[in-house]
Amino acid sequence: MKASCLVALVILASISTTLATKGIDLSASFNNFSCVKNAGYSFAIVRGYKSFGEVDTVGHQNLKNAKAAGLIGDAYFFPCKGKKTASAQVTEFDNVFGSEYGTVWIDVESNPSTGCGWSSSDHTGNCQFLQDLVNAFTAKKRLVGIYASQYQWSTIMGSASACAKFTSHPLWYAHYDNSASFSDYAKYALGGWTTPSIKQYVGDTTLCSVGVDLNFY
Ligand SMILES: *[C@@H]1O[C@H](CO)[C@@H](O)[C@H](O)[C@H]1NC(C)=O
């Protein structure tokens, strides 16, 4: 390989590293987002709705704190299938969060809260419940995406490729391989998406003395 070509490759590689935008998601009450920013992270995804069916007002304060520190702010929404309708939950959330975030990410993962679990047998009903949530956010003109891992999606929807109805919305997928790269996605694909938008690549770590997961896009 010619030296000029090698130099070009090295430059390209360093540009693509620079372009990776990293962020955190968290649920704990926190107010030191400038530390997070100084550590090289530029977005925060706060919990907006709790698995047992209640708005997360701590998450709302986190969102304000994150934005005040200059971070991009999104929210995630852990829905409860059982106690309240999809639209009732979305309305509760929307009454508090309004349009203060960029995208709200619906958390499709096993829900341990009593009376709130996805059905273990009615995969069609689970898919419909997710559709109801997406419709409720869309009716309020909010940007909505889906968070899931291939394993969680398969368990809840019946297979990795099932319920492929949301590909016009962005996907945030989880795969804890400690690699801020989408190159694993083909193997961990779900729900019909061919391209993901965000990856959660580290779960349950600590940054600036608070428990977070690490993400990138
Ligand atoms: C925020 O984080 C920085 C860096 O770790 C630390 O020096 C500072 O004391 C923290 N501030 C608060 C209020 O915890």
Side-chain angles (χ1 to χ4, degrees):
M1 184 183 290
K2 282 166 71 179
S4 57
C5 193
L6 187 61
V7 168
L9 270 180
V10 169
I11 291 171
L12 271 178
S14 58
I15 288 173
S16 67
T17 310
T18 314
L19 288 180
T21 303
K22 294 197 290 178
I24 61 162
D25 66 84
L26 79 170
S27 55
S29 177
F30 185 60
N31 191 9
N32 198 353
F33 287 96
S34 55
C35 173
V36 171
K37 189 157 196 265
N38 290 337
Y41 296 83
S42 47
F43 65 92
I45 309 179
V46 305
R47 186 173 61 185
Y49 202 80
K50 299 192 270 192
S51 60
F52 57 88
E54 190 175 273
V55 187
D56 191 339
T57 52
V58 166
H60 184 233
Q61 186 60 51
N62 282 345
L63 179 65
K64 291 183 174 187
N65 297 343
K67 287 170 67 181
L71 297 178
I72 298 165
D74 277 3
Y76 71 90
F77 186 101
F78 205 155
C80 166
K81 184 175 183 289
K83 288 201 242 174
K84 301 173 183 173
T85 64
S87 76
Q89 294 175 60
V90 168
T91 296
E92 283 175 28
F93 168 85
D94 202 68
N95 286 344
V96 174
F97 279 73
S99 60
E100 293 177 48
Y101 57 89
T103 296
V104 56
W105 300 89
I106 302 171
D107 193 349
V108 180
E109 71 175 295
S110 149
N111 186 326
S113 297
T114 306
C116 289
W118 300 89
S119 170
S120 57
S121 54
D122 182 11
H123 299 128
T124 307
N126 290 339
C127 181
Q128 183 60 51
F129 182 63
L130 183 55
Q131 181 78 70
D132 293 345
L133 290 163
V134 168
N135 289 351
F137 279 117
T138 304
K140 293 185 184 296
K141 308 243 189 307
R142 305 301 183 207
L143 293 179
V144 56
I146 309 292
Y147 165 91
S149 69
Q150 188 189 62
Y151 173 77
Q152 293 286 348
W153 188 270
S154 303
T155 305
I156 292 164
M157 302 304 176
S159 75
S161 60
C163 193
K165 296 182 170 182
F166 308 105
T167 55
S168 62
H169 298 275
L171 172 68
W172 170 19
Y173 76 110
H175 179 220
Y176 299 156
D177 61 356
N178 203 17
S179 170
S181 156
F182 289 145
S183 62
D184 60 323
Y185 180 69
K187 199 172 167 204
Y188 293 90
L190 63 103
W193 279 276
T194 51
T195 318
S197 294
I198 307 187
K199 175 181 175 183
Q200 187 180 63
Y201 65 97
V202 174
D204 293 332
T205 188
T206 301
L207 180 72
C208 298
S209 309
V210 70
V212 299
D213 304 311
L214 302 183
N215 305 279
F216 104 104
Y217 64 75

